Amino acid sequence: MTGGIEVTVLALRMAVVIGLYTFLALVLVVIWRGYHSGDQTTGGTVTSSGARLVVVEPAASGLEMGAEFELSASGTIGREAPNTIILPDAGVSARHGRIAFRHGGWWIEDLQSANGTYVNAIRIEAPTLLADGDELEVAQVRLRLEIA
């Protein structure tokens, strides 16, 4: 009888260990998907943030001061289509930069543009976290990030 109880206890211990490892694996999958979901374009506006870029200085882009661009989860900034935000200015590269909502915040990245991307008058060299009210310079065009 003692042998049967020992086998049952061993089987229960193994079941608990397998259950724990399965649970940990599922948690890691959920974290992994959440971590990488910010890198994907969803095509829709991120309504939870209500973020937008507002034109502060249109330069030679032909845009009007105060024009607004609603931000989607991920998009590119450039001179022409197929960019999400089109700034028709000669100083803006065809594919100038990327703006994306990741890890709970808005990030800007320069895509090796000819004239660089600036945040609050400082040229960025790596993806940079933005805050409400930050000003972006893309060539001579200045935009302000507004987060509702």
Side-chain angles (χ1 to χ4, degrees), residues 13 16 24 35 61 69 71 93 109 117 123 126 130 143 147:
R13 285 182 178 173
V16 168
L24 288 174
Y35 178 76
S61 68
F69 297 96
L71 296 178
S93 295
E109 175 183 8
T117 302
R123 187 173 185 151
L130 299 171
L143 308 157
I147 303 172

Side-chain angles (χ1 to χ4, degrees), residues 29-46:
V29 166
V30 169
I31 291 171
W32 181 262
R33 286 183 182 166
Y35 178 76
H36 287 287
S37 66
D39 296 339
Q40 299 171 359
T41 301
T42 62
T45 299
V46 177

Side-chain angles (χ1 to χ4, degrees), residues 1-145:
M1 183 139 175
T2 305
I5 293 174
E6 289 177 7
V7 170
T8 304
V9 170
L10 180 61
L12 286 173
R13 285 182 178 173
M14 289 178 58
V16 168
V17 169
I18 290 170
L20 285 173
Y21 278 110
T22 302
F23 174 75
L24 288 174
L26 290 173
V27 168
L28 289 174
V29 166
V30 169
I31 291 171
W32 181 262
R33 286 183 182 166
Y35 178 76
H36 287 287
S37 66
D39 296 339
Q40 299 171 359
T41 301
T42 62
T45 299
V46 177
T47 56
S48 62
S49 69
R52 64 181 173 247
L53 291 176
V54 178
V55 177
V56 175
E57 173 56 53
S61 68
L63 298 170
E64 292 187 26
M65 188 179 301
E68 298 179 355
F69 297 96
E70 292 294 323
L71 296 178
S72 60
S74 178
T76 54
I77 300 170
R79 186 176 56 243
E80 55 203 29
N83 291 291
T84 311
I85 298 171
I86 299 172
L87 304 175
D89 183 289
V92 177
S93 295
R95 241 183 117 212
H96 199 98
R98 178 185 339 270
I99 188 163
F101 189 78
R102 290 189 288 241
H103 314 298
W106 287 100
W107 293 77
I108 186 75
E109 175 183 8
D110 186 79
L111 298 177
Q112 299 178 340
S113 65
N115 293 316
T117 302
Y118 295 76
V119 175
N120 299 324
I122 298 171
R123 187 173 185 151
I124 63 169
E125 300 296 329
T128 302
L129 180 62
L130 299 171
D132 186 35
D134 279 351
E135 287 196 0
L136 308 177
E137 284 181 54
V138 179
Q140 298 298 313
V141 180
R142 274 195 358 247
L143 308 157
R144 181 179 59 246
L145 175 67

